[in-house]
């Protein structure tokens, strides 16, 4: 019974992450603002949530991935669903 509950919660979390990603990612020419979410997930994965709002760090972390930086404009908790994506190559 408990395993079934965990499986349902995992499915809900995955569905939520996909829904958030689908609703927040927008194309802008050849650049994609998903880089902000990917880098935010990397910051949390590394244990550095304070870097979410450090524009210098954000710019440097996003430089190899995007033509211009996308600042993190959300509450820190919004980066949590993107931690699994941060484990994947961009």
């Amino acid at each position: 019974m408990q395993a079934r509950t965990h499986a349902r919660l995992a499915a809900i979390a995955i569905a939520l992450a996909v829904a958030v990603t689908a609703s927040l990612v927008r194309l802008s020419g050849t650049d994609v603002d998903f880089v902000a979410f990917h880098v935010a997930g990397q910051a949390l994965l590394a244990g550095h949530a304070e870097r979410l709002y450090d524009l210098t760090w954000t710019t440097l972390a996003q430089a190899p991935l995007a033509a211009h930086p996308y600042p993190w404009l959300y509450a820190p908790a919004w980066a949590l669903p993107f931690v699994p994506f941060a484990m994947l190559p961009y």
Side-chain angles (χ1 to χ4, degrees):
M1 183 72 161
Q2 196 173 27
R4 186 177 296 166
T5 302
H6 286 16
R8 285 182 183 162
L9 289 174
I12 290 169
I14 290 169
L16 178 63
V18 169
V20 168
T21 301
S23 66
L24 296 177
V25 173
R26 70 173 170 79
L27 294 177
S28 173
T30 59
D31 214 1
V32 178
D33 71 348
F34 181 74
V35 70
F37 303 102
H38 186 76
V39 169
Q42 288 178 329
L44 291 188
L45 189 62
H48 296 289
E50 74 279 359
R51 290 183 175 171
L52 292 174
Y53 305 102
D54 180 347
L55 292 179
T56 302
W57 181 84
T58 302
T59 301
L60 292 173
Q62 292 179 12
L65 307 173
H68 61 280
Y70 291 94
W72 185 252
L73 303 174
Y74 309 97
W78 278 103
L80 287 173
F82 299 97
V83 170
F85 295 105
M87 293 185 250
L88 301 171
Y90 185 78

